[in-house]
């Protein structure tokens, strides 16, 4: 890092940029620098994983697995992190892969091609068969966060984009690169995710939304 | 609406999404959004998306269990140590601010000045002969100090009492004031600068000495 010495001089450790902390860990093995990285991004990464798998214990395991993979990648001389992109985006890529591996093993993930994205009628057809019916949704609202349940009911690719944007705080361009689709496709998935959430919430008597209908 | 119009509207709807999430950073972004919102359909789109975005933005943030982070950091430490990359960081010269060096130095210097000053003041008050003068002026001899008593070996058979030592004839200071008077007179005596011994003269020239013609001095052994 060309300016890392100047950065270290004027900032406390907790204020160091991600790239400086990564370099410090890789060059000196300083685990405290790595702890700062983990704690700085824990809410984003864990929020994404929990939104994807909807089970806290599994999300904890996937969180640990994600950063174990990060450590392994950083220790390799030719690791995949080249410090050209954002550290968080790279970590979320690893987290996404870990989540998809888990969901595929449970047969809860269906890879969708971009060409079928624009058919809005196929949304209801792709709902998992074991999903709760509308009446059960109303009952679940008494126990769980209704919005979280609605997110869970989204198609996986829409849920993924929505979580990467709201939990991971990635841009749509970064989401597009991470998921291997165009930015227009990423925007389309996000739009459908928001509109579908709005429909589900409006269908519930507990949520008061405006009567504007798109 | 033609297919082209439909595509144009969809394009605008995606632009609204970019505006909503702050990813339209062009100079005319605000003007562009205001222009789009003049269209009723796009205005409704913007309102609907804003409502859901607001609820998503205010979701409770979640964190993993702390023990998970501890395990990750332990693994990081193990991996970092095993790779042998841990090296001592280069020494970082931390320039201590001048005031952090100056204040202690000034404090030490001030303490030294005060100590020396007190020493001078005490010596001026007492004077070089103050101790001796006080002794000379003393009319009542005081008992020897306790420290002297302790340092002085006790003669066998003598019991040192704790009473008035001045009344003990064995240990009383010399009360003769004459000694003090003589000493004081000696101190006050001034040298007679007029004294002049002159040239040495032979004994015979003095009066009364044999050969001098004087009868004052009698020779030893002579009859009177």
């Amino acid at each position: 890092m060309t300016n890392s010495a100047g950065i270290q001089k004027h900032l406390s450790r907790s204020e160091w940029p991600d790239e400086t902390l990564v370099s410090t860990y890789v060059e000196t093995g300083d685990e405290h620098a790595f702890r700062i990285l983990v704690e700085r991004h824990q809410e984003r990464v864990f929020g994404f994983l929990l939104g994807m798998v909807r089970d806290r214990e599994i999300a904890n395991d996937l969180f640990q697995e994600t950063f174990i993979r990060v450590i392994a990648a950083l220790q390799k001389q030719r690791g995949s992190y080249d410090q050209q992109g954002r550290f968080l985006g790279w970590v979320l890529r690893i987290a996404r892969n870990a989540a998809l591996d888990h969901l595929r093993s449970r047969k809860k993930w269906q890879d969708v091609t971009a060409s079928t994205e624009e058919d809005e009628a196929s949304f209801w057809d792709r709902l998992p068969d074991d999903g709760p019916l509308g009446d059960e949704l109303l009952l679940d609202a008494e126990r769980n966060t209704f919005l979280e349940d609605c997110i869970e009911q989204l198609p996986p690719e829409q849920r993924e984009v929505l979580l990467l944007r709201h939990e991971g705080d990635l841009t749509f361009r970064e989401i597009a690169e991470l998921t291997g689709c165009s930015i227009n496709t990423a925007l389309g998935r996000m739009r459908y995710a928001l509109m579908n959430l709005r429909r589900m919430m409006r269908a519930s008597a507990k949520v008061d939304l405006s009567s504007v209908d798109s | 609406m033609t297919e082209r119009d439909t595509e144009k509207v969809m394009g605008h709807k995606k632009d609204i999404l970019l505006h909503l999430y702050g990813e339209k950073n062009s100079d005319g972004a605000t003007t562009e959004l205001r222009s789009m919102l003049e269209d009723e359909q796009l205005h409704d789109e913007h309102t609907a998306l804003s409502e859901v975005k607001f609820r998503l933005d205010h979701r409770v943030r979640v964190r993993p269990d702390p023990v998970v982070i501890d395990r990750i950091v332990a693994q990081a430490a193990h991996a970092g140590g095993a790779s042998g990359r841990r090296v001592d960081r280069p020494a970082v010269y931390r320039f201590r601010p001048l005031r952090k060096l100056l204040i202690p130095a000034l404090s030490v210097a001030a303490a030294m000045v005060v100590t020396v000053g007190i020493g001078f003041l005490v010596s001026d008050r007492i004077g070089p002969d103050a101790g001796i003068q006080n002794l000379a002026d003393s009319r009542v001899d005081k008992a020897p100090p306790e420290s002297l008593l302790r340092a002085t070996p006790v003669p066998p058979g003598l019991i040192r009492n704790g009473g008035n030592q001045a009344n003990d004839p064995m240990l009383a200071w010399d009360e003769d004031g004459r000694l003090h008077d003589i000493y004081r007179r000696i101190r006050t005596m001034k040298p007679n600068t007029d004294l002049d011994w002159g040239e040495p003269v032979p004994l015979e020239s003095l009066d009364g000495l044999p050969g001098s013609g004087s009868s004052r001095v009698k020779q030893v052994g002579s009859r009177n």
Side-chain angles (χ1 to χ4, degrees):
Chain A
M1 299 300 294
T2 55
N3 200 22
S4 61
I7 291 171
Q8 292 174 19
K9 183 179 178 181
H10 297 290
L11 300 176
S12 65
R13 264 199 163 188
S14 61
E15 297 171 320
W16 287 359
D18 288 350
E19 289 70 24
T20 303
L21 290 168
V22 169
S23 298
T24 302
Y25 170 68
V26 171
E27 293 169 9
T28 67
D30 186 356
E31 71 273 17
H32 299 294
F34 195 79
R35 174 181 281 273
I36 294 173
L37 277 171
V38 175
E39 292 177 345
R40 178 179 293 173
H41 300 301
Q42 60 176 321
E43 289 180 350
R44 292 188 174 90
V45 178
F46 188 77
F48 169 74
L49 289 170
L50 185 59
M52 291 292 283
V53 302
R54 289 296 293 163
D55 184 297
R56 187 174 176 86
E57 289 303 316
I58 296 174
N60 275 324
D61 292 340
L62 291 177
F63 184 87
Q64 180 173 335
E65 185 178 338
T66 295
F67 279 97
I68 297 299
R69 293 186 188 183
V70 167
I71 292 167
L74 291 176
Q75 293 297 331
K76 289 178 186 176
Q77 289 190 354
R78 290 186 177 182
S80 58
Y81 181 59
D82 56 2
Q83 299 193 12
Q84 295 300 318
R86 280 206 299 168
F87 175 77
L88 176 61
W90 177 63
V91 173
L92 282 170
R93 179 187 297 275
I94 297 175
R96 176 182 180 264
N97 291 337
L100 293 183
D101 290 344
H102 170 78
L103 291 173
R104 288 191 185 109
S105 68
R106 301 285 188 92
K107 296 183 179 179
K108 289 189 176 181
W109 181 262
Q110 179 181 0
D111 294 315
V112 179
T113 58
S115 60
T116 62
E117 293 284 331
E118 304 299 325
D119 185 0
E120 198 168 337
S122 64
F123 162 71
W124 300 108
D125 294 338
R126 288 201 294 273
L127 282 176
D129 292 335
D130 58 347
L133 301 176
D135 291 340
E136 291 182 17
L137 270 177
L138 291 174
L139 291 174
D140 285 343
E142 300 294 331
R143 297 192 300 271
N144 300 319
T145 306
F146 184 66
L147 183 57
E148 302 298 330
D149 289 340
C150 292
I151 294 173
E152 188 177 1
Q153 300 308 312
L154 289 174
E157 67 280 359
Q158 293 179 16
R159 184 169 75 243
E160 179 185 45
V161 172
L162 183 136
L163 291 171
L164 286 172
R165 189 63 187 86
H166 276 272
E167 297 291 343
D169 199 28
L170 299 184
T171 64
F172 288 110
R173 183 167 299 280
E174 290 172 328
I175 293 172
E177 289 175 1
L178 193 151
T179 57
C181 65
S182 67
I183 187 170
N184 280 338
T185 302
L187 286 168
R189 289 175 179 175
M190 187 67 181
R191 178 180 175 272
Y192 281 119
L194 295 177
M195 299 308 293
N196 289 330
L197 280 177
R198 189 168 184 272
R199 280 184 200 167
M200 284 189 276
M201 288 189 288
R202 288 188 69 195
S204 168
K206 289 188 177 293
V207 179
D208 184 25
L209 288 176
S210 65
S211 60
V212 176
D213 186 4
S214 64
Chain B
M1 184 179 286
T2 63
E3 186 175 336
R4 192 170 182 176
D5 293 333
T6 303
E7 286 180 5
K8 190 176 180 181
V9 170
M10 282 303 293
H12 284 313
K13 287 183 178 180
K14 291 177 181 176
D15 287 338
I16 286 177
L17 208 55
L18 290 172
H19 281 287
L20 203 57
Y21 283 90
E23 294 189 24
K24 268 282 189 177
N25 295 322
S26 60
D27 293 337
T30 306
T31 307
E32 181 187 46
L33 178 61
R34 197 177 296 130
S35 171
M36 284 194 293
L37 294 181
E38 291 176 357
D39 181 275
E40 186 177 352
Q41 190 177 3
L42 294 177
H43 184 274
D44 293 343
E45 174 90 2
H46 185 270
T47 303
L49 297 179
S50 297
E51 289 174 352
V52 183
K53 181 180 180 297
F54 178 83
R55 293 188 181 276
L56 289 170
D57 287 340
H58 290 82
R59 289 166 65 215
V60 175
R61 299 294 248 183
V62 290
R63 288 186 172 189
D65 296 342
V67 65
V68 174
I69 295 180
D70 293 338
R71 283 193 222 122
I72 291 169
V73 174
Q75 178 63 25
H78 175 75
S83 67
R85 288 180 186 176
R86 184 184 291 272
V87 293
D88 293 334
R89 64 172 173 79
V92 177
Y93 174 70
R94 290 188 171 87
F95 175 70
R96 302 184 68 184
L98 185 61
R99 60 182 176 83
K100 285 192 176 180
L101 297 172
L102 200 58
I103 292 176
L106 288 176
S107 302
V108 170
M112 289 177 62
V113 168
V114 169
T115 303
V116 171
I118 291 175
F120 276 119
L121 283 174
V122 170
S123 64
D124 283 344
R125 282 190 181 179
I126 295 174
D129 302 322
I132 299 173
Q133 192 64 33
N134 290 337
L135 182 62
D137 291 338
S138 172
R139 296 196 178 276
V140 176
D141 292 314
K142 298 174 183 174
E146 192 67 28
S147 59
L148 183 61
L149 288 177
R150 285 195 293 270
T152 305
V154 179
L158 177 66
I159 300 174
R160 183 174 288 170
N161 59 4
N164 187 2
Q165 300 294 338
N167 295 328
D168 185 355
M170 293 296 292
L171 297 173
W173 291 102
D174 185 358
E175 297 187 358
D176 189 0
R178 292 175 294 171
L179 179 63
H180 301 313
D181 292 337
I182 292 171
Y183 185 81
R184 187 167 55 251
R185 287 164 62 188
I186 293 173
R187 291 287 301 167
T188 56
M189 282 174 62
K190 295 182 180 178
N192 186 1
T193 56
D194 296 334
L195 281 177
D196 184 10
W197 292 99
E199 294 292 329
V201 295
L203 190 63
E204 292 78 7
S205 66
L206 294 176
D207 290 342
L209 289 178
S212 65
S214 171
S215 62
R216 286 187 192 174
V217 177
K218 293 180 181 180
Q219 291 184 346
V220 176
S222 65
R223 287 186 181 179
N224 197 357

